[in-house]
Amino acid sequence: MAASSAINVMLAIHEKKTVSVELYRPLRNYICTHYSEREAQNLEDDLQIVKQYRSDIEKSSTDTPEIRRDLYQSYFKTLVVLESRFPISPDKDHVNSISFIWFDAFKTKLKASQQNIHLEKAAVLFNLGAVYSQIALNADRSSANGLKVACNMFMASAGVFAYLRDNESMQATTGSSSTTLDVSVDCAGMLERLMLAQAQECFFEKVTSEGRGPGLCSKVSRQVAIFYEEAFSALNLAPLNQHFDRSWVYHVQLKAALFHAEACYRSGLELHAKEEIAEEIARLKSGISTLTEAKKYTKGVAQQVVDSINRLEVMMNRNLETAVKENNRVYLMRVPAPDSLPPLPAHSLVKPTPMGEVLDASKEKMFASLVPDSSFKALSRYTEMVDDIIRTQAEKLQQGSELTRVRLKEMELPESILALEGNSCLPVDIKEDVEAVQISGGPSGFEAELQQLKDLSRVNHELLVQTEELLQKEAREDAQFRTQFGTRWTRPQSSTLTKNLQERLSRFAGNLKQAADSDGRIERSIRDHAALMEILDRQPIESALPTLARPIMSLDAGEDAVVGALKHSLRHLETLGAQRAGLEDMLKEMKRKDDILPKLMTSPGSYDDLFRKEIAKYDHVCEEIAQNIDAQEHLLVKIQAQNDEFAALFNLEDYKASREKSYKQIQAAIAKFREIKENINEGLKFYVTLQDAITNVKQQCSDFVMTRNIQCREMMEEVQRQVAGLSFQDGKNHSYPPVGNQQPQAPRTSSMPPGPQIPPNSHPQAPYYHQSMEQPGAHGYARPPPSYGNPQQPPYGNTQQPPPPYHLQATGSPYPPPSQPQQQQPEYGQPAYPGWRAPYYNAHTQQHASHPPPPYGVPPGPYPPHQQGPGGGYYKQ
């Protein structure tokens, strides 16, 4: 025990002593055995730090208390780290070569030895509390700053002893291992009370030095006495009653009596000022009696304490004598018995300083790479607990939001409010359909599309007429030569060779007629339903919807109040929804930052205790979620009542009926638009496909005419030879050989009699002829021309594999595959008239597959013109 020379003597605790312990080698061997030599090398610095800490603890150093305090704090956190990674016990698989030995602080000949880390931790905590008390005792309490330091250090010492009692004392004294009484639960609790008494005593010195009122001084003094009385009671109970020197017990006893009497003295001063003389006399007598009894136990107590008791006794006796005289002469009050008085009030100004943060080792980086499996398993268990909380709360939040959405939809809010303000809105599906119609051009775009149909129809008619004129011209020329030469003109008539082509042209003409009828029906449908579809061109479409009108007559003009209250409730409901979103984000963020592995590694107690403490931080969020859901329930009930009033006031049922009628009108307009749009797209595809087919037939007719012209020229030469009496080779028939094998012969103009001349336009240019004849696979002219002497030859173009009908070509590209060489397109595939640039026409410059698809799911295949029903055409009713 150490005493100070200050006005009031206080106590400080001496540190426990220990013996040298080797930690480095056993810990390193454990790392090598259970981890690896490489890991031990990596942790060499940490091992050296542990070794140095233990060495500094063992020394009987002359360092200041402040340096020793920092050393004990650092070493204790290191021990916490070691506890979770190095099991120290007699077990053969543990660190079993370490024994910690510590001597008792109050009976220094007693010692304890344990092969576990709990005695080491308890002893370090005891010494830390002792050092704090030494710092407090060394403070100069005659100054305000010194008094503050002393008070704070005594409270810190009390906090350390409380931490020792609650965490390490039980573990250090559990089991068969020996321990010392100074680190027991009883002793730690007694020392906590003693340090709090001295901290409160510092406050008493402060209030008296500042001249505070006797009432406050009495309350502070009484609390000092209570703390000392609690410490004295612990010292008088086993096992501490036989462990401490009597001077300790007497000191605490006298201090308790001194400050109880001081409280009575200060209370007497206050009572005297209030002229409550009788109670003043009783309080003074009680205090004097306490001092008289305490003076029997002054042996071994510091003389300053005894002198303080004597001085206080003198002052109390003087005040008592004065009070008795005044009462006998003036007040004549009956003095109550001291034991009948109520307890003096007390006011505590101190409490143990929490040591959780000071001694928290979760942020320590030592041996961080060593993580036992038990910690990983505990972390997984905790993560599951957190996930369960977040999952449960998230479901509550989602259910709350879904309930709000359903209830508002049932009440048609906020659509009704928006309709009142002229901001009506369409259902999402109708809105999307209207947007698709407007993007595709809307009903106002039908005029341009009808013009496209007319232009394509005209182009097809022109192509058909041109093709027919080619055949008719060739037939007239053949008839002319046949009349001129009579029986010498032996080649087949044109009508026998073009029968197939003529039939196809006739079918095309019929298809065009049916298409014209379809075009007319489409145009009539657009005209007949223009008024219905006109609504689809409204911008925005919501302007076509009816508005919710205010009542025509209002007696109390309360509709604004009804609307305002409903709006306010809806805004409040929206705020609750935003809060739910924020709470869910808060839960997720808390989980993201919730890393308790360091705490698991340094937890001195069971994991369950740590889990309960850590999980508790989610409680406030869960409580806020419950409050939010409950507030929403009450608010929805309120909104329902407000909406009923709103609906009755504004005749909402009539508005709903009118709105539904508008919805149906818009849907009917969309359906009719789609029907007409589909028919127009079918028409466009029909004309494009038919144009490709007519162009193909026109090409065949052109090739046929070219071949017939060549045959005509050569037959003219042959007839001229016959007339001139020329002889031909034996065995050669009078049929014209195949065009591709004809050898050019020198003309005999000198011996040929004059005859009819072939028209100039019937002689194609030789290069065009040779190019056309060398193209393989062309329909109608790739085969050799028919011989004149074979009248049974099939008509022109009727080959063994006839070309596919035009309506089948639309499903594929009109061009050969990219891997084959492209054939040179004939001049007849160009636009029929200058200036035509419609994307649906020029099939030879743009493949059919590149045409824009119809917007409403029209089948990709062409509409077969020859498969129409009785109505004909492509128009769909």
Side-chain angles (χ1 to χ4, degrees):
M1 180 183 70
S4 72
S5 58
I7 299 174
N8 294 314
V9 177
M10 296 184 183
L11 302 178
I13 314 299
H14 290 296
E15 300 169 55
K16 291 168 65 68
K17 303 298 181 181
T18 185
V19 297
S20 177
V21 176
E22 171 63 31
L23 293 180
Y24 173 82
R25 184 56 55 186
L27 296 181
R28 195 181 192 284
N29 291 339
Y30 181 84
I31 297 174
C32 294
T33 302
H34 291 80
Y35 295 94
S36 66
E37 174 63 29
R38 183 182 184 86
E39 192 70 36
Q41 295 175 358
N42 294 336
L43 297 174
E44 180 65 26
D45 291 343
D46 293 344
L47 291 171
Q48 290 294 339
I49 291 174
V50 174
K51 179 181 179 180
Q52 185 62 44
Y53 280 161
R54 192 57 168 79
S55 177
D56 293 342
I57 293 292
E58 296 164 2
K59 295 177 181 178
S60 178
S61 176
T62 58
D63 292 335
T64 62
E66 288 78 9
I67 295 177
R68 303 285 287 178
R69 175 197 60 193
D70 296 340
L71 173 62
Y72 285 127
Q73 289 178 354
S74 299
Y75 184 54
F76 180 81
K77 289 187 282 188
T78 301
L79 291 175
V80 173
V81 172
L82 293 178
E83 181 181 10
S84 61
R85 292 167 173 84
F86 299 93
I88 300 176
S89 74
D91 193 299
K92 64 178 182 178
D93 293 330
H94 294 176
V95 182
N96 53 18
S97 60
I98 297 178
S99 292
F100 296 104
I101 301 175
W102 286 90
F103 293 91
D104 194 290
F106 303 105
K107 290 191 175 182
T108 56
K109 294 182 179 180
L110 298 178
K111 67 178 181 179
S113 175
Q114 292 187 13
Q115 274 187 293
N116 64 65
I117 204 168
H118 300 299
L119 176 61
E120 183 84 347
K121 291 172 67 179
V124 171
L125 284 176
F126 182 93
N127 284 357
L128 179 60
V131 169
Y132 270 119
S133 70
Q134 294 170 18
I135 297 174
L137 197 64
N138 292 336
D140 182 9
R141 301 202 310 277
S142 61
S143 65
N145 185 63
L147 193 61
K148 180 179 180 181
V149 171
C151 182
N152 290 334
M153 291 301 101
F154 278 130
M155 287 191 292
S157 178
V160 173
F161 287 121
Y163 190 89
L164 170 63
R165 178 197 61 204
D166 297 337
N167 294 280
E168 297 300 332
S169 291
M170 288 297 297
Q171 299 185 62
T173 58
T174 300
S176 59
S177 300
S178 63
T179 186
T180 54
L181 193 58
D182 54 355
V183 295
S184 66
V185 173
D186 297 325
C187 186
M190 183 275 296
L191 293 176
E192 177 202 10
R193 297 290 96 183
L194 177 61
M195 295 299 109
L196 287 177
Q198 297 186 147
Q200 182 81 6
E201 189 175 349
C202 293
F203 264 106
F204 176 76
E205 293 178 1
K206 179 176 185 298
V207 295
T208 54
S209 64
E210 292 176 354
R212 298 297 183 91
L216 176 61
C217 294
S218 173
K219 293 177 182 179
V220 175
S221 178
R222 177 58 191 147
Q223 186 61 51
V224 176
I226 291 174
F227 283 139
Y228 275 119
E229 289 168 2
E230 292 173 349
F232 177 68
S233 298
L235 287 171
N236 277 331
L237 296 176
L240 299 183
N241 58 350
Q242 301 298 324
H243 191 73
F244 283 85
D245 185 80
R246 298 312 298 174
S247 61
W248 266 79
V249 180
Y250 293 158
H251 175 87
V252 174
Q253 183 179 4
L254 287 178
K255 276 298 187 78
L258 173 64
F259 282 96
H260 173 73
E262 186 75 36
C264 292
Y265 172 72
R266 301 286 175 173
S267 178
L269 295 178
E270 184 180 28
L271 291 171
H272 189 83
K274 296 178 180 179
E275 296 185 354
E276 297 178 5
I277 303 300
E279 185 177 350
E280 176 191 2
I281 295 172
R283 292 293 182 187
L284 290 173
K285 287 182 178 181
S286 174
I288 294 172
S289 174
T290 301
L291 292 178
T292 302
E293 181 66 23
K295 289 171 65 175
K296 300 176 182 179
Y297 307 98
T298 58
K299 184 178 180 180
V301 178
Q303 187 60 41
Q304 293 94 327
V305 176
V306 177
D307 293 343
S308 297
I309 290 176
N310 292 331
R311 285 196 299 272
L312 179 59
E313 185 180 15
V314 170
M315 290 187 295
M316 293 183 72
N317 283 323
R318 184 171 58 249
N319 288 354
L320 176 60
E321 181 180 355
T322 302
V324 169
K325 288 181 180 180
E326 290 181 357
N327 187 47
N328 292 334
R329 294 177 180 178
V330 180
Y331 300 103
L332 303 175
M333 295 181 180
R334 187 178 67 85
V335 178
D339 54 1
S340 66
L341 297 175
L344 285 172
H347 182 57
S348 177
L349 298 175
V350 297
K351 61 180 180 179
T353 302
M355 286 289 124
E357 291 187 11
V358 177
L359 302 176
D360 181 22
S362 60
K363 297 181 180 180
E364 292 294 312
K365 303 301 182 182
M366 297 179 66
F367 303 104
S369 60
L370 304 182
V371 181
D373 292 339
S374 59
S375 297
F376 277 124
K377 292 179 180 178
L379 179 63
S380 177
R381 178 185 166 198
Y382 174 78
T383 302
E384 291 178 359
M385 296 170 64
V386 174
D387 290 342
D388 183 65
I389 291 176
I390 293 179
R391 182 168 52 252
T392 301
Q393 298 304 317
E395 289 176 355
K396 291 182 179 180
L397 293 172
Q398 293 172 2
Q399 290 173 0
S401 299
E402 182 64 18
L403 176 63
T404 300
R405 187 188 66 80
V406 172
R407 296 282 294 277
L408 290 179
K409 186 175 181 181
E410 291 174 352
M411 292 184 284
E412 297 193 12
L413 290 174
E415 288 79 6
S416 300
I417 300 296
L418 294 176
L420 182 63
E421 298 172 349
N423 297 322
S424 301
C425 56
L426 282 171
V428 177
D429 54 342
I430 300 180
K431 177 72 172 178
E432 292 176 352
D433 289 343
V434 172
E435 289 177 350
V437 168
Q438 293 178 347
I439 289 174
S440 64
S444 60
F446 281 155
E447 182 178 355
E449 294 180 350
L450 286 177
Q451 186 61 42
Q452 283 185 332
L453 289 177
K454 293 177 181 179
D455 292 341
L456 285 174
S457 177
R458 178 174 54 80
V459 169
N460 278 280
H461 277 288
E462 291 176 356
L463 284 174
L464 190 60
V465 170
Q466 293 171 7
T467 305
E468 291 175 344
E469 288 177 351
L470 285 174
L471 297 180
Q472 292 172 2
K473 181 179 179 182
E474 193 279 330
R476 289 194 303 269
E477 292 175 353
D478 181 69
Q480 178 184 353
F481 287 122
R482 191 174 304 281
T483 301
Q484 180 178 356
F485 294 105
T487 57
R488 289 189 182 93
W489 197 260
T490 59
R491 72 173 182 174
Q493 293 184 3
S494 296
S495 60
T496 62
L497 299 177
T498 61
K499 181 179 179 180
N500 184 37
L501 295 175
Q502 291 288 357
E503 290 177 353
R504 294 177 66 183
L505 292 176
S506 297
R507 289 198 302 271
F508 293 160
N511 290 336
L512 283 174
K513 185 177 182 304
Q514 292 179 353
D517 295 339
S518 297
D519 293 346
R521 285 193 292 272
I522 290 177
E523 190 169 0
R524 287 192 299 273
S525 180
I526 293 175
R527 186 170 56 254
D528 295 342
H529 299 92
L532 173 64
M533 295 185 294
E534 181 184 6
I535 194 172
L536 299 179
D537 286 327
R538 299 282 291 271
Q539 293 284 356
I541 186 63
E542 288 80 7
S543 62
L545 297 178
T547 58
L548 181 60
R550 292 179 175 271
I552 298 176
M553 296 183 63
S554 178
L555 298 178
D556 55 358
E559 60 270 12
D560 290 338
V562 173
V563 174
L566 185 56
K567 285 183 179 180
H568 177 75
S569 298
L570 290 175
R571 284 193 294 268
H572 189 191
L573 189 64
E574 184 178 358
T575 302
L576 291 177
Q579 288 178 357
R580 285 196 300 275
L583 290 172
E584 186 172 5
D585 293 340
M586 184 186 300
L587 280 175
K588 293 178 180 178
E589 183 66 15
M590 289 178 65
K591 180 181 181 300
R592 187 182 68 83
K593 295 181 178 180
D594 193 7
D595 180 17
I596 68 164
L597 182 58
K599 295 182 180 179
L600 285 173
M601 299 295 297
T602 58
S603 176
S606 67
Y607 289 147
D608 292 338
D609 295 337
L610 177 63
F611 289 166
R612 282 191 294 270
K613 178 181 177 182
E614 293 298 321
I615 288 293
K617 62 176 170 278
Y618 292 92
D619 290 347
H620 74 282
V621 182
C622 297
E623 180 63 26
E624 290 183 25
I625 292 174
Q627 294 175 358
N628 182 282
I629 299 298
D630 185 63
Q632 177 182 270
E633 284 292 335
H634 290 85
L635 185 58
L636 285 174
V637 173
K638 180 180 179 182
I639 290 175
Q640 180 68 61
Q642 293 173 339
N643 188 62
D644 292 342
E645 184 179 2
F646 173 80
L649 183 62
F650 287 87
N651 199 9
L652 201 57
E653 293 301 324
D654 291 346
Y655 164 74
K656 291 180 181 178
S658 176
R659 184 188 61 190
E660 290 300 324
K661 182 179 179 181
S662 298
Y663 288 168
K664 292 179 179 179
Q665 180 184 354
I666 294 174
Q667 290 173 328
I670 292 172
K672 180 54 66 175
F673 175 87
R674 288 176 173 174
E675 176 187 325
I676 296 175
K677 188 73 173 180
E678 182 178 356
N679 288 331
I680 291 176
N681 289 334
E682 284 292 324
L684 294 174
K685 291 193 295 183
F686 166 79
Y687 280 122
V688 172
T689 304
L690 184 60
Q691 179 181 329
D692 291 341
I694 295 176
T695 301
N696 185 29
V697 173
K698 181 180 179 183
Q699 181 65 50
Q700 294 181 23
C701 292
S702 298
D703 294 340
F704 167 76
V705 171
M706 179 184 66
T707 304
R708 293 282 286 180
N709 288 340
I710 294 172
Q711 292 175 349
C712 178
R713 183 187 65 187
E714 294 179 351
M715 193 169 188
M716 284 288 296
E717 292 176 355
E718 183 178 358
V719 171
Q720 289 173 357
R721 292 190 192 100
Q722 290 178 1
V723 173
L726 298 176
S727 60
F728 291 88
Q729 298 178 3
D730 296 335
K732 184 175 182 181
N733 57 30
H734 296 285
S735 63
Y736 185 76
V739 175
N741 299 327
Q742 176 67 32
Q743 299 294 330
Q745 299 181 7
R748 298 180 179 179
T749 57
S750 60
S751 60
M752 289 181 61
Q757 299 297 322
I758 301 175
N761 59 358
S762 65
H763 294 283
Q765 295 180 2
Y768 185 85
Y769 161 71
H770 289 297
Q771 181 181 7
S772 301
M773 296 304 294
E774 292 174 359
Q775 289 181 355
H779 297 294
Y781 61 90
R783 300 168 61 87
S787 61
Y788 302 130
N790 189 4
Q792 303 297 327
Q793 184 167 346
Y796 186 86
N798 188 12
T799 58
Q800 294 179 0
Q801 294 182 353
Y806 70 90
H807 61 272
L808 296 178
Q809 297 175 4
T811 59
S813 173
Y815 302 102
S819 60
Q820 300 177 359
Q822 295 286 336
Q823 299 181 4
Q824 180 177 353
Q825 297 298 334
E827 59 181 336
Y828 304 102
Q830 300 303 318
Y833 60 94
W836 175 251
R837 292 296 183 268
Y840 303 97
Y841 172 74
N842 195 354
H844 293 284
T845 59
Q846 179 177 347
Q847 295 188 359
H848 181 63
S850 64
H851 300 322
Y856 294 104
V858 178
Y863 195 91
H866 65 288
Q867 297 179 1
Q868 296 299 332
Y874 53 83
Y875 179 79
K876 293 184 179 180
Q877 298 291 345

